[in-house]
Amino acid sequence: MSSIRLLVSLAAIHDMKIEQLDVANAYLNGTLEEKVFMRPPTNLANILESIIQKRGLSNVVGEKATRMLEDFRDGKQICHLQKSLYDLRQSGRSWHMMLDKVLRKLGAIPTNADPCVYCVGRGEDATMVVIYVDDILIMPRDSNRIKQFREKLCKEFEVKKLGNVGYCLGVEFEVEKSKITMHQRRYILDLLKRFGMENCNPISTPMDPQTKLVKPTTAEEVKNFPYRELIGGLTYLAITTRPDISHAVSSLGQFNNCHGKVHWTAANRVLRYLRCTLNYGLVYTNCPDPVRGYADADWANCAIDRRSYTG
């Protein structure tokens, strides 16, 4: 996500278009290096018979289906996989290796900082490509490069052309001239609905400074709340487009294995804050000012172990 945010900021500065592509059935394109065997799928005989009827015996596919059906009826109950399938342990790696091979063939070179960010060309001819499993974002300095790169990629895979980026990885993009906004209004609404907080009373701060989060002292304090599920959803939001809840989520995340009602109430307060700030997000513009960073240490403010947290 940090790579995507960085490239979006560059796109805003240089007035670059961002186009989104999606590879259909991506994992099925992977090539297996190991020998992998599997039991025949349910209703394999019926499926093969249907293929034979549609393709006929003179067709190559029909001939293969006929041989498979004969083997299956002769008692051969094991299949040797030729291609990667979903749910294999190595399917993600196989797909990435295949995509990386194709991108390199097209002249794309992965960056040293992030192997999922590629660069094609240099200077005014540079095109940035960022991949997230099967989602691909293309950002060219010259808009004519998008069509060329897209056509080459379509020759290798079945690619869905989604046009200018609008919604990707739970993030909504709004692109104007020299201004790009990233927000997660839809994601927040889904999160509020999942935890029954869509009609909650909004509040203007994510944490109550008077609340001190400590480990529960008795077994009665520990309740069966879906606490970790909520913290996981909030964490993705914090690291993507909502750094304003980062401190609250970091503090709450320390109690994933030892939470009680106080922690659950504090986590729900973050949801109430999000209800109040649905339209908040990151806005990137062509700003000449340099980037400034700020850091702060709280000097052993943690009441549990007296450690200092920077932020």
Side-chain angles (χ1 to χ4, degrees), residues 202-217:
I203 200 165
S204 59
T205 56
M207 288 191 78
D208 181 0
Q210 303 302 322
T211 300
K212 301 298 181 183
L213 298 176
V214 296
K215 293 181 179 180
T217 55

Side-chain angles (χ1 to χ4, degrees), residues 65-78:
T66 302
R67 288 197 298 270
M68 287 183 66
L69 183 60
E70 291 174 354
D71 291 339
F72 179 73
R73 287 173 174 170
D74 288 342
K76 296 181 179 179
Q77 299 294 313
I78 297 295

Side-chain angles (χ1 to χ4, degrees), residues 1 167-172 182-190 233 236-242 278-282:
M1 275 300 170
Y167 185 81
C168 182
L169 304 175
V171 181
E172 297 171 68
M182 295 172 60
H183 65 87
Q184 290 177 277
R185 177 185 173 89
R186 197 185 311 178
Y187 179 89
I188 294 172
L189 289 174
D190 289 342
Y236 183 70
L237 191 61
I239 65 175
T240 306
T241 62
R242 295 298 300 266
L278 275 175
N279 297 320
Y280 280 23
L282 301 177

Side-chain angles (χ1 to χ4, degrees), residues 79-105:
C79 294
H80 179 200
L81 279 182
Q82 301 293 332
K83 284 283 188 177
S84 176
L85 283 179
Y86 283 85
D87 289 336
L88 288 179
R89 291 186 178 182
Q90 60 269 59
S91 56
R93 179 176 179 272
S94 299
W95 157 240
H96 178 75
M97 291 179 66
M98 174 62 69
L99 181 58
D100 178 73
K101 181 180 177 181
V102 170
L103 290 175
R104 288 175 183 267
K105 188 171 71 173

Side-chain angles (χ1 to χ4, degrees), residues 85-287:
L85 283 179
Y86 283 85
D87 289 336
L88 288 179
R89 291 186 178 182
Q90 60 269 59
S91 56
R93 179 176 179 272
S94 299
W95 157 240
H96 178 75
M97 291 179 66
M98 174 62 69
L99 181 58
D100 178 73
K101 181 180 177 181
V102 170
L103 290 175
R104 288 175 183 267
K105 188 171 71 173
L106 299 180
I109 301 173
T111 59
N112 293 329
D114 188 339
C116 291
V117 176
Y118 292 77
C119 184
V120 185
R122 291 172 176 267
E124 294 296 327
D125 292 330
T127 299
M128 303 302 298
V129 180
V130 56
I131 61 173
Y132 193 100
V133 189
D134 57 352
D135 290 297
I136 303 175
L137 299 179
I138 308 175
M139 308 176 193
R141 294 292 298 275
D142 182 0
S143 58
N144 294 324
R145 298 286 182 184
I146 286 185
K147 185 177 180 180
Q148 298 173 11
F149 186 87
R150 185 179 58 209
E151 289 176 352
K152 291 178 181 178
L153 201 61
C154 288
K155 292 180 180 178
E156 303 288 342
F157 306 114
E158 182 184 348
V159 178
K160 298 177 184 177
K161 305 169 189 176
L162 303 179
N164 294 331
V165 64
Y167 185 81
C168 182
L169 304 175
V171 181
E172 297 171 68
F173 295 80
E174 295 179 1
V175 182
E176 302 173 20
K177 188 174 182 180
S178 299
K179 178 181 176 182
I180 302 175
T181 304
M182 295 172 60
H183 65 87
Q184 290 177 277
R185 177 185 173 89
R186 197 185 311 178
Y187 179 89
I188 294 172
L189 289 174
D190 289 342
L191 200 63
L192 291 170
K193 186 176 181 180
R194 193 195 317 172
F195 293 96
M197 297 287 285
E198 62 266 40
N199 297 318
C200 65
N201 294 324
I203 200 165
S204 59
T205 56
M207 288 191 78
D208 181 0
Q210 303 302 322
T211 300
K212 301 298 181 183
L213 298 176
V214 296
K215 293 181 179 180
T217 55
T218 62
E220 288 76 16
E221 293 184 32
V222 180
K223 301 291 183 180
N224 189 25
F225 302 114
Y227 184 80
R228 280 181 283 190
E229 181 183 351
L230 175 54
I231 297 303
L234 293 175
T235 299
Y236 183 70
L237 191 61
I239 65 175
T240 306
T241 62
R242 295 298 300 266
D244 52 327
I245 66 170
S246 294
H247 174 70
V249 175
S250 174
S251 299
L252 292 168
Q254 299 173 41
F255 300 94
N256 276 332
N257 294 321
C258 53
H259 51 269
K261 187 174 181 179
V262 173
H263 307 87
W264 178 247
T265 302
N268 280 323
R269 183 188 176 96
V270 180
L271 290 176
R272 293 173 62 195
Y273 170 72
L274 293 173
R275 180 71 179 81
C276 179
T277 57
L278 275 175
N279 297 320
Y280 280 23
L282 301 177
V283 181
Y284 296 94
T285 60
N286 188 359
C287 180

